[in-house]
Amino acid sequence: MAASSKKRVFNFNVGVLGHVDSGKTSLSKVLSTVASTASFDNNPQSRERGITLDLGFSSFCVDVPDHLQDLVTSYDKIQYTLVDCPGHASLIRTIIGGAQIIDLMLLVVDVTKGMQTQTAECLIIGEITCPRMMVVLNKIDLLPVDKRPLAIEKMRKRMLKTLEGTRFADCPVVAVASKPGGQESDEHEPMAVVELIEALRNNTYIPDRSTGGPFVFAVDHCFSIRGQGVVMTGTVLHGAVEINDMIEIPSINENKKVKSIQMFKQPVERIVQGDRAGICVTQFDPKELERGLVCNPGSLPTLQAAIVCVNQIAYYRGKICSKAKFHITISHETVMGRLTFFGYHKNSGSNTPITDVTNFDFTQEYTYQEELLSKPKAAAAQDEPFPDKQFALIEFEKPVTCPHHCVVIGSKLDTDIHTNSCRIAFHGTLLEGITDVKYKEVVLPKIKIYKTKLKEGQVERVSDEYTVIGKNLFKKETNLQIFTGLKVSLSSGQEGMIEGGFGQSGKIRIRIPNGLPADIVQRFSGTKRKNKGKVVEENTSQDQEPIKIFLSFKRYLFDPEKSLKQL
């Protein structure tokens, strides 16, 4: 009875993102009543430099809002866990990691400056990872009192105009001053924070959560408590865990027993998807797990490579080319990855429609792409239709542990942070994780990615009405055996088949099953004449339009036998 009488709290994760010095941490402090072990610039460098360098966590509780009463009748309170993300450009990988655990994003904007480079990058990250957003126009105390309402309204309209083409169109915009007078001042009360909390309550929803499936816990801080064990603080991404359960720490390949669990200093027996908690386990070196994932034993794969369904970020200005290396953020890790792009065309003669969008189809054929395409670029290249789906094979420089179907983000984090350009290049969903260390020999040959090749040569001469000799299709050192039997077409309209090589210079013999017209035979057969007692051939076609030979075929990128297939 005692256990059932305890009040139950529904946890709702709110990310606080924005440009550096927009007032995110001040806002989190004003809102919060309970701080975790990692909150409010706990890092000594953060306090010294006056900026957030890591994820900070804190919380506050309110009564369940009226519009959720029927859905959460078993809960007494809504707990808002605030994830304070750093705003500095160099810490974008930390921002991406934090954004993947939130249910709603507060985009904090300095009302005197509006959208800035990192504000835009936070907006992009939010579009990729978060279903809902609110805009907070902070520092309204810096506006002249007589012009404040007009300036706020002007910025509100500007922000809504910016968001028109995003998933956050018409999102709520609230104007506040979290720290009137600046960081050093404690003389003034925050402005309009009550209105912000009310707006947050009105925009709270029930996220799609499940206690089923394997337990996955995103750890953001890890520390040892003498005599008790190691505490891992983080957020439950999937499933649930209870005291005395065994969990795996993949990064050190060890299993540990759950000794106790706390949610913001309150002991609990069990946590589920969406909960923010601290898990105490038996002792290990906490330096081996500063950030990462823990899970049910054996439930998370460690990947050498991955196949991802991808989309380009419209604001990224550079090319995203195959064979290039990008920073890949997958789950809560960021590593370098080498890219190979390919596309699926449902109207291809060899393809059938893809019906399963959650897994990669190894039976289909895919076209190799020199770069990831955006629709404007594809429209400019009128000779190539835009693919129905685009994929990337990502080969990691070091293995990564992650859940199935997680979000993948590609960035150029080595770009100069002082340039006014977006560094987030593409995003996607993991469809196929490749765990085999010998994947290049075992897995890649199963992926049917092909390059379309078109070779062009000329008819040199005609041996008879059914046979021509071609030149300039191949080099002298080319292995002509692999091309024997392939079909070719002539610019004069005839179809033929390569019978084999002719001589040692890369020339080929082509069979024309339906024969050549008499005028072509006459042009390219040549006439015989005597020259100082020697019989030579005189080709009468030199001054006429040459007949071209066209050969088109597919070459599969990962085929170890380098075989060809006719188009």
Side-chain angles (χ1 to χ4, degrees), residues 462 464-468 487-490 492-497 499 510-521:
V462 173
D464 55 54
E465 65 176 302
Y466 297 103
T467 307
V468 302
K487 296 177 182 179
V488 297
S489 60
L490 306 184
S492 55
Q494 290 75 39
E495 302 290 332
M497 184 180 69
E499 288 189 325
I510 300 172
R511 181 71 175 171
I512 310 296
N514 295 327
L516 293 164
D519 62 322
I520 293 179
V521 174

Coordinates of all heavy atoms in Angstrom, one line a residue, residues 462 464-468 487-490 492-497 499 510-521:
V462 N 35.5 -2.7 -92.7 CA 34.6 -3.8 -92.8 C 35.3 -5.0 -93.4 O 35.9 -4.9 -94.5 CB 33.4 -3.4 -93.6 CG1 32.4 -4.6 -93.9 CG2 32.6 -2.2 -93.0
D464 N 33.6 -8.0 -93.9 CA 32.6 -8.5 -94.9 C 31.3 -7.8 -94.4 O 31.2 -7.1 -93.4 CB 32.5 -10.0 -94.9 CG 32.3 -10.6 -93.6 OD1 31.3 -10.3 -92.9 OD2 33.1 -11.5 -93.2
E465 N 30.2 -8.2 -95.0 CA 28.9 -7.5 -94.7 C 28.4 -7.8 -93.3 O 27.5 -7.2 -92.8 CB 27.8 -7.8 -95.7 CG 27.4 -9.3 -95.8 CD 26.3 -9.5 -96.8 OE1 25.2 -8.9 -96.6 OE2 26.5 -10.3 -97.7
Y466 N 29.0 -8.8 -92.6 CA 28.6 -9.2 -91.3 C 29.6 -8.9 -90.2 O 29.4 -9.2 -89.0 CB 28.2 -10.7 -91.2 CG 27.0 -11.1 -92.1 CD1 27.2 -11.7 -93.3 CD2 25.7 -10.7 -91.7 CE1 26.1 -12.0 -94.2 CE2 24.6 -11.0 -92.5 CZ 24.9 -11.7 -93.7 OH 23.8 -11.9 -94.5
T467 N 30.8 -8.4 -90.6 CA 31.9 -8.2 -89.7 C 32.6 -6.9 -89.9 O 32.9 -6.5 -91.0 CB 32.9 -9.3 -89.8 OG1 32.3 -10.6 -89.8 CG2 34.0 -9.2 -88.7
V468 N 32.7 -6.1 -88.7 CA 33.5 -4.9 -88.8 C 34.6 -4.9 -87.7 O 34.5 -5.6 -86.7 CB 32.6 -3.6 -88.5 CG1 31.4 -3.6 -89.5 CG2 32.0 -3.6 -87.1
K487 N 26.7 -6.4 -76.3 CA 26.1 -5.8 -77.5 C 26.6 -4.4 -77.7 O 26.9 -3.7 -76.7 CB 24.6 -5.8 -77.4 CG 24.0 -7.2 -77.3 CD 22.5 -7.1 -77.1 CE 21.9 -8.5 -77.1 NZ 20.4 -8.4 -76.8
V488 N 26.7 -4.0 -78.9 CA 27.1 -2.6 -79.3 C 26.1 -2.1 -80.3 O 25.3 -2.9 -80.9 CB 28.5 -2.5 -79.8 CG1 29.5 -2.9 -78.8 CG2 28.7 -3.3 -81.1
S489 N 26.0 -0.8 -80.5 CA 25.2 -0.2 -81.5 C 26.1 0.8 -82.4 O 27.0 1.4 -81.9 CB 24.0 0.6 -80.9 OG 24.5 1.6 -80.1
L490 N 25.7 0.9 -83.6 CA 26.4 1.8 -84.6 C 25.6 3.0 -84.8 O 24.4 3.0 -84.8 CB 26.7 1.1 -85.9 CG 27.4 -0.3 -85.8 CD1 27.7 -0.8 -87.3 CD2 28.7 -0.2 -85.1
S492 N 25.1 4.3 -87.4 CA 24.4 4.1 -88.7 C 23.1 3.3 -88.5 O 22.3 3.1 -89.4 CB 25.3 3.4 -89.7 OG 25.8 2.2 -89.2
G493 N 22.9 2.8 -87.2 CA 21.6 2.2 -86.9 C 21.7 0.7 -86.7 O 20.7 0.1 -86.3
Q494 N 22.8 0.0 -87.0 CA 22.9 -1.4 -86.8 C 23.2 -1.8 -85.4 O 23.9 -1.0 -84.7 CB 23.9 -2.0 -87.8 CG 23.5 -2.0 -89.3 CD 23.6 -0.6 -89.9 OE1 24.5 0.2 -89.6 NE2 22.6 -0.2 -90.7
E495 N 22.9 -3.0 -85.1 CA 23.2 -3.6 -83.8 C 24.3 -4.7 -84.0 O 24.2 -5.4 -85.0 CB 22.0 -4.2 -83.1 CG 20.9 -3.2 -82.8 CD 21.3 -2.2 -81.8 OE1 22.1 -2.5 -80.9 OE2 20.7 -1.0 -81.8
G496 N 25.2 -4.8 -83.0 CA 26.2 -5.9 -83.2 C 26.6 -6.4 -81.8 O 26.1 -6.1 -80.8
M497 N 27.6 -7.4 -81.9 CA 28.1 -8.0 -80.7 C 29.6 -8.2 -80.8 O 30.1 -8.6 -81.9 CB 27.4 -9.4 -80.5 CG 27.8 -10.1 -79.3 SD 27.0 -11.8 -79.1 CE 27.8 -12.6 -80.4
E499 N 32.9 -9.9 -80.7 CA 33.3 -11.3 -80.8 C 34.7 -11.5 -80.2 O 35.0 -12.7 -79.7 CB 33.4 -11.7 -82.3 CG 32.1 -11.9 -83.0 CD 32.2 -12.5 -84.4 OE1 33.2 -12.2 -85.0 OE2 31.3 -13.3 -84.7
I510 N 33.6 -7.1 -84.4 CA 32.2 -7.0 -84.1 C 31.4 -7.7 -85.1 O 31.6 -7.5 -86.4 CB 31.8 -5.5 -84.0 CG1 32.6 -4.8 -82.9 CG2 30.3 -5.4 -83.8 CD1 32.3 -3.3 -82.9
R511 N 30.5 -8.6 -84.7 CA 29.6 -9.3 -85.6 C 28.3 -8.6 -85.7 O 27.7 -8.1 -84.7 CB 29.3 -10.7 -85.0 CG 28.4 -11.6 -85.8 CD 29.0 -12.1 -87.1 NE 28.2 -13.0 -87.8 CZ 28.5 -13.4 -89.1 NH1 29.6 -13.0 -89.6 NH2 27.7 -14.3 -89.7
I512 N 27.8 -8.4 -87.0 CA 26.6 -7.7 -87.3 C 25.6 -8.7 -87.8 O 25.6 -9.1 -89.0 CB 26.7 -6.5 -88.3 CG1 27.9 -5.6 -87.9 CG2 25.4 -5.8 -88.5 CD1 27.7 -4.9 -86.7
P513 N 24.7 -9.3 -86.9 CA 23.8 -10.4 -87.3 C 23.0 -10.1 -88.5 O 22.8 -11.0 -89.4 CB 23.0 -10.7 -86.1 CG 23.8 -10.1 -84.9 CD 24.5 -8.9 -85.5
N514 N 22.4 -8.9 -88.7 CA 21.5 -8.6 -89.8 C 22.2 -8.0 -91.0 O 21.6 -7.6 -92.0 CB 20.4 -7.6 -89.3 CG 19.5 -8.3 -88.2 OD1 19.3 -9.5 -88.3 ND2 19.0 -7.5 -87.3
G515 N 23.5 -7.9 -90.9 CA 24.3 -7.4 -92.0 C 24.3 -5.9 -92.2 O 23.5 -5.2 -91.6
L516 N 25.3 -5.5 -93.0 CA 25.5 -4.0 -93.2 C 24.9 -3.7 -94.6 O 25.0 -4.5 -95.5 CB 26.9 -3.7 -93.2 CG 27.6 -3.8 -91.8 CD1 29.1 -3.8 -92.0 CD2 27.2 -2.7 -90.9
P517 N 24.4 -2.4 -94.7 CA 24.0 -2.0 -96.1 C 25.2 -2.0 -97.0 O 26.4 -1.8 -96.6 CB 23.5 -0.6 -95.8 CG 23.2 -0.5 -94.4 CD 24.2 -1.4 -93.7
A518 N 24.9 -2.1 -98.3 CA 25.9 -2.2 -99.3 C 26.8 -1.0 -99.4 O 28.0 -1.1 -99.6 CB 25.3 -2.5 -100.7
D519 N 26.2 0.2 -99.2 CA 27.0 1.4 -99.3 C 28.1 1.5 -98.1 O 29.2 2.0 -98.4 CB 26.1 2.7 -99.2 CG 25.3 2.8 -97.9 OD1 24.9 1.7 -97.4 OD2 25.2 3.9 -97.5
I520 N 27.7 1.0 -96.9 CA 28.7 1.0 -95.8 C 29.8 0.0 -96.1 O 31.0 0.3 -95.9 CB 28.0 0.7 -94.5 CG1 27.1 1.9 -94.1 CG2 29.0 0.5 -93.4 CD1 26.3 1.7 -92.9
V521 N 29.4 -1.2 -96.6 CA 30.4 -2.2 -97.0 C 31.4 -1.6 -98.0 O 32.6 -1.8 -97.9 CB 29.7 -3.5 -97.5 CG1 30.8 -4.5 -98.0 CG2 28.8 -4.1 -96.5

